[in-house]
Amino acid sequence: MKELAGIAVSKGLGVGKAMLYLEDALPEIPRYSVSGEQVDGEWRRFLSATAAITEKIRQRLKETPLRNSKERRYILEAQLLMFEDVDFHENVRLGLESRLQNLESIVWDTSQEIVRKLSALPSAEFVARIADVSGMARDLLNELLSIQPVSLANLNEAVIVVARDLLPSQAIVMSKDFVKAIVTDAGSHISHTAIIARASGIPAVMGLSSGSAQIKTGDTLIVDGDNGLVVINPDKKTLVLYQKMIKESRAKAKMASQLNGRSAETKDGRRFMLNVNLETPSGLKDALSRGAEGVGLYRSEFAFFAEDRVSDEESQYLTYSEMLKAAKNLPVTIRTLDAGGDKIIPSLFQDNDEKNPLLGWRSIRFSLSMPEIFKIQLRAILRASVHGNVRIMFPLISGLTELEQALGFLEEAKAECAAKKQPYSGTIPVGIMVEVPSAALVANKLIKKSDFFSIGTNDLIQYTLGVDRGNERVSYLAQPTHPAILRLIKMTIDTAHRHGKPVAMCGEMAGDTRLVPLLVGLGLDEFSMNAATINDVKRIIREFSFAECQKLARKALRCANAEEVAALLENPV
Ligand code: PEP
Ligand code: MG
């Protein structure tokens, strides 16, 4: 038995068998020369690999019902066309004959030649095709090399996923039914993968440095997401102890008093709005049943990860419309694409070899430089707006010019809808995320063109304190109680309130029960968090008076460092 300590990022206990997930998406490509006589053999291998794949796709098409799966069928049919594409076949044949190289290297190089040509074209549709081409080449390589790729989406037994790092796009496809816990070497409490683990209710311990090297597939693990511990191959006594603890915590969760139907109101009657953060629309029903009063943040980029492409306008329109209808007129805040940084959609970021992705081409910067992709999303939101109560939110705004540019594209999208006689609501609130310190510092300018602010504390902490939110070595510095963070929050709230506009918070701080009285005292109007936390935050709001919280906030703002504030929060009144 061995015990590893890491960062507790998602509560709960998980016991099960480890599955090491260290595969790279692309298999290693063998490269060697072949003789002229071997070319025909290589060509036959190509034909039989494509035949095997197209047969599998046809089978999947047969199993995909015509109704309700239009988008899925469309993708499968498009894949079929690609594997049977005459030009692609001809280019592979020519490549084999002229270069006398093995098939695997020719397949990959031919696909990358197409990718290069597509990358040079400005249209969003071509950009989306890049992923399809690379995906096709990857499938062919897997087939040729007899590699069975492991997908976290298609697990068929319960496991504990162990990885050096997990991308948000990999985490989002995991199901709680099969993934009993997550263990990673990288990550911190505010990394996107941690956020997803919490939203999915999967216990997780991150920041184990080199933990994955000490765990083998098949090892029995206990993952203690409350205390940040991982036990490898526990002895019988420890195993029995934890199994008992799991039973007890399940029973407690069941008994937890539901505050549904009660408002999030302080003892002296100040009312707050509690919303949910969603990565996929499927979580909405559960959130509403737990008392969410709306969606404070819909991370729209996650829908793009699933297919590694920009969804077309129609399918985005459908997704947003369905979510708005299901929310039954409660507000739904759709954040426009927040891709880049650690949320890479490979097809869109080909050849983007940035030194500092988190300071680079991400989020609103990406959208502003890809107007076609941006406007597809804006038109889809506008058209869906007639089905409910939507709010549009722009991420990572760093100054007024960026906001004005984004609003300019929104006006263009409106004009395009109007030209096509597509109706949209005339009263959509448009707000921004305050998640770069510069936005907080020029909040008085930004608020004049925003209907609301929503503070994204995950990035605000990252950029204010200079701490990469995914880096376990410096995660101890990502302190939400740092006075600099509190001052920026206060400045943002006060500025918006002077203009009579509301301020929400959708970063992880909003769901941190320890911080709730402080945020109440700072004057926040709306809290947005994962569904499981809503009742806990509500309970705490109901325990205090607004006056008490204001006093606490005043004291906290006078503290010299994060530790002093943390100590103050131990005894808030
Ligand atoms: C944030 O930065 O606080 C936020 C809510 O956005 P994300 O976590 O998706 O970057
Ligand atoms: Mg952010």
Side-chain angles (χ1 to χ4, degrees), residues 224-442:
D224 179 348
D226 296 337
N227 299 303
L229 291 176
V230 177
V231 188
I232 308 170
N233 295 325
D235 57 29
K236 190 116 192 259
K237 208 171 110 212
T238 314
L239 197 56
V240 170
L241 181 78
Y242 269 96
Q243 270 158 348
K244 195 166 151 241
M245 280 162 68
I246 290 177
K247 264 197 196 141
E248 282 167 5
S249 79
R250 277 195 199 132
K252 241 195 232 160
K254 262 198 190 150
M255 273 165 45
S257 69
Q258 291 287 306
L259 293 170
N260 290 357
R262 304 246 187 117
S263 58
E265 191 173 318
T266 56
K267 287 201 283 196
D268 47 356
R270 189 168 169 108
R271 177 85 170 75
F272 296 84
M273 190 167 175
L274 303 190
N275 291 331
V276 67
N277 288 351
L278 290 181
E279 284 71 44
T280 60
S282 59
L284 180 60
K285 202 167 153 221
D286 171 58
L288 295 178
S289 76
R290 291 172 188 253
E293 296 167 275
V295 179
L297 167 65
Y298 170 59
R299 291 182 160 103
S300 67
E301 59 278 3
F302 282 88
F304 294 49
F305 292 149
E307 286 166 7
D308 184 20
R309 55 154 68 202
V310 179
S311 317
D312 58 34
E313 185 176 323
E314 221 40 45
S315 73
Q316 287 192 52
Y317 163 72
L318 281 178
T319 306
Y320 305 151
S321 305
E322 273 161 29
M323 195 163 41
L324 284 163
K325 285 182 203 159
K328 297 201 173 64
N329 242 21
L330 295 176
V332 173
T333 315
I334 300 182
R335 175 175 74 181
T336 60
L337 191 65
D338 189 39
D342 62 334
K343 288 185 284 193
I344 293 290
I345 302 170
S347 61
L348 301 184
F349 289 84
Q350 290 263 338
D351 296 332
N352 180 38
D353 192 12
E354 291 184 300
K355 292 261 182 312
N356 292 302
L358 289 169
L359 298 177
W361 192 46
R362 63 167 290 214
S363 197
I364 196 71
R365 303 164 186 186
F366 173 85
S367 295
L368 293 178
S369 68
M370 298 291 239
E372 285 203 49
I373 293 179
F374 193 28
K375 283 199 288 174
I376 286 176
Q377 181 167 40
L378 293 173
R379 286 195 304 267
I381 302 175
L382 287 170
R383 289 171 52 202
S385 67
V386 294
H387 298 297
N389 181 0
V390 76
R391 300 168 175 177
I392 296 176
M393 180 157 79
F394 299 128
L396 211 80
I397 293 288
S398 65
L400 186 60
T401 312
E402 248 173 356
L403 173 56
E404 286 172 342
Q405 283 169 351
L407 291 171
F409 284 122
L410 182 58
E411 286 311 307
E412 280 181 29
K414 284 183 181 172
E416 285 158 10
C417 288
K420 287 197 199 152
K421 305 223 169 356
Q422 291 166 326
Y424 58 85
S425 160
T427 55
I428 305 172
V430 181
I432 63 161
M433 291 191 67
V434 175
E435 50 183 349
V436 186
S438 60
L441 294 168
V442 295

Side-chain angles (χ1 to χ4, degrees), residues 182-203:
I182 298 170
V183 175
T184 65
D185 294 347
S188 77
H189 190 261
I190 52 175
S191 65
H192 282 108
T193 301
I195 293 171
I196 294 166
R198 283 196 289 280
S200 319
I202 301 176

Side-chain angles (χ1 to χ4, degrees), residues 30-43 45 92-106:
R31 289 186 180 272
Y32 52 88
S33 303
V34 295
S35 66
E37 290 82 63
Q38 287 173 304
V39 166
D40 275 344
E42 292 296 89
W43 177 241
R45 281 210 301 135
V92 171
R93 174 86 210 185
L94 283 176
L96 284 170
E97 284 169 359
S98 61
R99 291 181 42 204
L100 296 180
Q101 284 275 316
N102 65 315
L103 177 60
E104 288 82 357
S105 62
I106 297 291

Side-chain angles (χ1 to χ4, degrees), residues 434 438-448 453 491-492 495-496:
V434 175
S438 60
L441 294 168
V442 295
N444 60 336
K445 303 291 176 199
L446 296 171
I447 197 63
K448 290 187 185 146
F453 282 158
M491 190 185 278
T492 305
T495 308

